[in-house]
Amino acid sequence: SISQIDTEFANLDAVLIEQIATGQYADDMVQLRVDIALSRLNIINSGRAAEIFAGSSEAATLIAPLNAFAEAAIALSDAPGPLIGDRLDQMHRLVRDVRPHVREIALLGVSLGAERSEARRAKFANQLSRTGGIAIVLLILMAILMLVLDRLLGRAARRDAELSASSRQLASTVAAS
């Protein structure tokens, strides 16, 4: 996720500092940390994170140095031979210089993600309110329809009773004549 990018760069920075100071890590370990950090940068430029940052000029301003770092770091790490000496120092300077941008883009990503999530929740709540309002109106209309049908049934029952009474009267009149 976007928030993990800062952690990966902190891990890379720690490994580079430790490697410069003591040389305790194997070259593969340093290269692995570089590759992990670069893969996290790729998250910013694609997928859901790219959607979050789309349209944000602040994000574009912060992403540009990260992409420049990625190009320089790839050139350093892909050069023949192990990442030692001056190349290791260069990589550490690159990481040290880009870390503030990484932290800012991670915070911006979390902030923009939260804003979009809040906007989606508000939209859903609004839609839910409208749906609830429509359901209440439909229930009221159904209650009114039930009252009208009840009155029509009452009228029909009275007319049926009147017609039955009138039929009996007519039948008794016919029978009497």
Side-chain angles (χ1 to χ4, degrees):
S1 73
I2 295 171
S3 59
Q4 289 175 329
I5 191 169
D6 190 36
T7 303
E8 291 304 333
F9 270 84
N11 290 341
L12 174 59
D13 193 30
V15 166
L16 290 173
I17 289 171
E18 196 67 30
Q19 184 70 359
I20 290 169
T22 64
Q24 78 179 38
Y25 295 112
D27 294 332
D28 292 348
M29 178 63 173
V30 175
Q31 187 63 44
L32 175 66
R33 281 284 152 209
V34 170
D35 290 343
I36 290 171
L38 290 173
S39 73
R40 292 296 175 199
L41 282 181
N42 189 36
I43 290 173
I44 291 173
N45 294 317
S46 63
R48 187 173 158 252
E51 290 175 18
I52 289 173
F53 293 130
S56 171
S57 60
E58 184 180 359
T61 304
L62 291 172
I63 289 173
L66 298 180
N67 289 335
F69 163 81
E71 290 174 15
I74 289 170
L76 274 175
S77 68
D78 285 350
L83 192 61
I84 56 173
D86 288 341
R87 288 179 43 217
L88 191 62
D89 289 335
Q90 280 181 304
M91 181 66 77
H92 181 251
R93 275 192 303 279
L94 286 172
V95 170
R96 187 188 62 222
D97 292 345
V98 83
R99 279 204 58 206
H101 299 289
V102 169
R103 182 167 292 118
E104 288 179 36
I105 199 71
L107 292 173
L108 180 64
V110 169
S111 171
L112 290 175
E115 286 174 13
R116 293 209 176 153
S117 179
E118 187 62 34
R120 279 193 312 269
R121 279 190 211 111
K123 184 179 176 182
F124 179 73
N126 191 15
Q127 187 177 7
L128 194 58
S129 294
R130 279 194 310 261
T131 302
I134 290 170
I136 289 171
V137 167
L138 287 174
L139 285 173
I140 290 170
L141 289 174
M142 286 174 48
I144 291 170
L145 180 63
M146 292 298 290
L147 288 172
V148 168
L149 290 175
D150 184 53
R151 287 186 181 189
L152 289 174
L153 181 63
R155 275 192 205 159
R158 276 193 311 273
R159 286 189 182 157
D160 184 49
E162 290 171 0
L163 187 58
S164 293
S166 145
S167 280
R168 277 181 270 157
Q169 261 185 346
L170 184 59
S172 65
T173 307
V174 170
S177 46

